[in-house]
Amino acid sequence: MEMNRSHHSIPWVLAVLFTFVVLQAQGQVVKSYTIRDGKMVITLDKRISPASLDSFITRYDLSELALPYYLRTQSADSLYRAGWEVMSDKGNIITLSKSMQAVATSNDPVDKIIFTEKHPTFAELFPAVNNGIVAGINKFRNKPAFAIEGSTVTFYLKENHSARRVQLAGSFTNWESGAITMTHNDSGWIATVTLSPGKYWYKFISDGNWILDRDNQLRENDGLGNINSVYFRTNTVFHLNGYTNARNVYLAGSFNNWRPKDLAMTRTPSGWELPLYLAKGTHTYKFVVDGNWLNDETNPEKLPDSQGGMNSVLRLGKPYPFALNGYTNARQVVLSGTFNGWKEDELYMKKTATGWELPYVLGPGNYEYKFIVDGQWMTDPANPLTVNVKNNTGNSYLIIEPNYTFRLKGRDKAQNVYLAGDFNGWKPDAFPMKRSGNDWIFSVHLATGKHRYKFVVDGQWIIDPDNKLWEQNEFGTGNSILWIDK
């Protein structure tokens, strides 16, 4: 059954106005959704059957809460993300609640019930970038991949001529609320969309019925009970000229962990090609022609491959100027980090009058690195941020294009405040926060999803007093929870 995409579901709003209780043969098994003391309240019996639970979820449009997963694992991430909390969990009965504060900026009574807090859209839940995806390839059958001209993509649904109306909806339209009406032609239905490179979910709405793209082999569950077709808006086309007699040609590189038979290239009149989505950064690659690994002879950019040969290199984005001052008497300095798998013989730095330098393209993110000076590993003396301390050395930590600023308010008398979390190995003195008026701030790049963190104030670990989302940890002291939607 296709779930209603809209957050403005009228039946759902009417349903919250009364309590629904059912009886099962083995005894009274309660499932209810009601309003009490200004809160929406869900009461569930853990003995509820899967079919009954599914019916309950469908009736009240609760797929985003992932209730089956919660009942099975007791992991409440999906509840917290949607603004719900566990009021009680005793015996076989659990009670969940969510405040019903009015939204002053909305005149829609539906909005006033549903949007009690920031309610993320599907586009926010699945952004085109910042989702950790390094590379992506489309896999269509019976039709070519959607045509790209400039920044415009032409979506195409084959045939379906009996339909009176077809719409295109996806993470780029906020699903049904911004669905695009498609145009009918001799071959089927088309619609043009302006998209930046990245990964997107989509479906077609044919006369009100949600359908997958049957010619697209890429499908994913959105975690909310829906299966969607997946499309990568590509930004790079790899070409290999010649080798027209080869049986199989593949592309392999750092972006797919060098798997030799993962990215099959397509034969063309003059050779082979493969459109690919690649995230910003530095990528190394080779072609695999009937089992033989070959460089891209049309690309002069090369880096050592650790086996006495070279890899072709593709750089997308702006270079970061790595520099090590001094050490002018050193014979060799190498840059190594998480961005190149800690290779010791790939990124050789260039000697200058005052030290060593190497511009290296990195996409948005957080990176660990070190310099290797004549075989000796060392942190960057110009960078105070270090993480993952081992043998009192640690790694230098680099933040490219920070997208979130942590803020601790009202600690104007504190001497030192640090930020610690799963994004920096929980090191208590890695991220020194800066004073900003009476607040303390620190900016970092966070990928989409869940993050745990705490503040360390003059040596005292505390959760974020301004963030009501938290979870218990193994020490019984709790961690604050942050969700990054885009």
Side-chain angles (χ1 to χ4, degrees), residues 408-473:
L408 176 62
K409 299 179 181 179
R411 300 281 174 158
D412 54 305
K413 295 182 180 180
Q415 298 298 311
N416 297 288
V417 178
Y418 292 87
L419 170 67
D422 52 17
F423 40 81
N424 72 349
W426 293 100
K427 188 182 177 188
D429 56 358
F431 288 178
M433 301 185 73
K434 295 182 180 180
R435 191 186 296 273
S436 176
N438 293 329
D439 302 342
W440 296 81
I441 62 173
F442 189 90
S443 297
V444 66
H445 184 93
L446 297 178
T448 301
K450 176 184 175 181
H451 300 275
R452 303 169 180 84
Y453 70 98
K454 273 186 154 178
F455 300 118
V456 186
V457 182
D458 292 335
Q460 188 76 26
W461 291 74
I462 67 170
I463 62 175
D464 187 345
D466 293 311
N467 182 1
K468 68 179 182 179
L469 297 183
W470 68 280
E471 68 180 16
Q472 195 56 272
N473 57 26

Side-chain angles (χ1 to χ4, degrees), residues 267-377:
R267 191 189 303 270
T268 69
S270 59
W272 302 79
E273 71 175 22
L274 180 66
L276 201 67
Y277 163 71
L278 287 178
K280 290 183 178 179
T282 299
H283 307 280
T284 53
Y285 68 97
K286 282 183 177 179
F287 300 117
V288 186
V289 181
D290 290 339
N292 298 311
W293 294 72
L294 305 175
N295 285 126
D296 185 350
E297 297 302 329
T298 65
N299 182 359
E301 296 287 333
K302 301 284 192 300
L303 283 174
D305 65 2
S306 301
Q307 297 179 0
M310 304 294 284
N311 291 323
S312 298
V313 180
L314 176 64
R315 297 180 174 91
L316 300 175
K318 297 179 181 180
Y320 179 83
F322 284 94
L324 175 64
N325 292 325
Y327 299 91
T328 53
N329 293 326
R331 298 184 303 276
Q332 176 180 281
V333 177
V334 179
L335 171 66
S336 182
T338 54
F339 40 77
N340 76 329
W342 294 102
K343 292 181 180 178
E344 303 179 32
D345 54 0
E346 182 183 60
L347 303 179
Y348 293 91
M349 301 185 73
K350 180 181 179 181
K351 182 179 288 189
T352 68
T354 58
W356 301 78
E357 67 179 17
L358 179 68
Y360 189 79
V361 175
L362 291 172
N366 307 315
Y367 304 92
E368 299 176 36
Y369 70 98
K370 276 187 171 180
F371 299 121
I372 310 174
V373 181
D374 289 339
Q376 299 297 314
W377 293 72

Side-chain angles (χ1 to χ4, degrees), residues 186-207:
D186 292 342
S187 301
W189 301 79
I190 64 171
T192 58
V193 184
T194 299
L195 296 178
S196 58
K199 181 180 180 180
Y200 300 89
W201 285 339
Y202 72 97
K203 271 186 175 178
F204 301 115
I205 310 175
S206 178
D207 291 336

Side-chain angles (χ1 to χ4, degrees), residues 69-137:
Y69 180 76
Y70 171 68
L71 291 177
R72 187 171 65 252
T73 67
Q74 301 301 300
S75 175
D77 288 352
S78 58
L79 304 179
Y80 298 145
R81 182 177 178 82
W84 289 77
E85 61 181 16
V86 180
M87 289 181 63
S88 67
D89 186 350
K90 298 179 180 179
N92 290 322
I93 304 299
I94 61 170
T95 304
L96 316 173
S97 70
K98 180 176 180 180
S99 175
M100 288 186 61
Q101 301 170 359
V103 180
T105 57
S106 175
N107 294 320
D108 188 337
V110 177
D111 285 349
K112 293 183 180 181
I113 292 179
I114 297 176
F115 290 93
T116 62
E117 297 173 22
K118 181 181 183 296
H119 199 300
T121 65
F122 277 81
E124 289 174 322
L125 290 173
F126 196 90
V129 293
N130 191 36
N131 47 26
I133 296 172
V134 178
I137 181 176

Side-chain angles (χ1 to χ4, degrees), residues 16-276:
V16 300
L17 301 179
F18 64 92
T19 302
F20 177 60
V21 180
V22 297
L23 301 179
Q24 289 188 341
Q26 296 179 346
Q28 191 177 46
V29 178
V30 179
K31 58 176 184 179
S32 69
Y33 193 140
T34 188
I35 296 175
R36 185 168 68 239
D37 299 327
K39 292 184 177 181
M40 295 179 287
V41 180
I42 296 173
T43 302
L44 284 176
D45 194 315
K46 296 177 182 177
R47 297 168 297 178
I48 189 171
S49 68
S52 185
L53 178 60
D54 183 66
S55 175
F56 179 77
I57 291 170
T58 301
R59 180 171 188 137
Y60 296 106
D61 196 15
L62 299 174
S63 58
E64 67 177 335
L65 301 187
L67 290 173
Y69 180 76
Y70 171 68
L71 291 177
R72 187 171 65 252
T73 67
Q74 301 301 300
S75 175
D77 288 352
S78 58
L79 304 179
Y80 298 145
R81 182 177 178 82
W84 289 77
E85 61 181 16
V86 180
M87 289 181 63
S88 67
D89 186 350
K90 298 179 180 179
N92 290 322
I93 304 299
I94 61 170
T95 304
L96 316 173
S97 70
K98 180 176 180 180
S99 175
M100 288 186 61
Q101 301 170 359
V103 180
T105 57
S106 175
N107 294 320
D108 188 337
V110 177
D111 285 349
K112 293 183 180 181
I113 292 179
I114 297 176
F115 290 93
T116 62
E117 297 173 22
K118 181 181 183 296
H119 199 300
T121 65
F122 277 81
E124 289 174 322
L125 290 173
F126 196 90
V129 293
N130 191 36
N131 47 26
I133 296 172
V134 178
I137 181 176
N138 292 306
K139 294 184 179 180
F140 288 90
R141 58 189 172 194
N142 304 321
K143 71 180 181 185
F146 300 138
I148 300 175
E149 185 174 348
S151 60
T152 301
V153 178
T154 300
F155 282 76
Y156 169 44
L157 172 63
K158 280 184 61 180
E159 301 174 347
N160 202 42
H161 296 297
S162 61
R164 296 184 302 275
R165 187 188 189 206
V166 177
Q167 294 173 286
L168 170 66
S171 54
F172 45 86
T173 70
N174 198 19
W175 296 97
E176 189 173 18
S177 65
I180 300 168
T181 299
M182 303 186 75
T183 302
H184 190 207
N185 62 23
D186 292 342
S187 301
W189 301 79
I190 64 171
T192 58
V193 184
T194 299
L195 296 178
S196 58
K199 181 180 180 180
Y200 300 89
W201 285 339
Y202 72 97
K203 271 186 175 178
F204 301 115
I205 310 175
S206 178
D207 291 336
N209 297 313
W210 292 78
I211 61 174
L212 290 163
D213 186 345
R214 57 183 176 271
D215 297 312
N216 186 346
Q217 299 178 67
L218 296 184
R219 299 177 178 182
E220 285 183 353
N221 192 309
D222 62 5
L224 304 178
N226 304 293
I227 302 297
N228 301 305
S229 295
V230 178
Y231 173 70
F232 286 96
R233 160 64 167 86
T234 58
N235 58 351
T236 305
V237 181
F238 288 88
H239 295 279
L240 175 63
N241 294 325
Y243 300 94
T244 55
N245 294 326
R247 297 186 302 276
N248 298 289
V249 177
Y250 296 90
L251 173 69
S254 56
F255 39 78
N256 76 330
N257 294 319
W258 296 97
R259 292 187 293 271
K261 294 185 177 181
D262 186 32
L263 302 174
M265 301 187 71
T266 302
R267 191 189 303 270
T268 69
S270 59
W272 302 79
E273 71 175 22
L274 180 66
L276 201 67

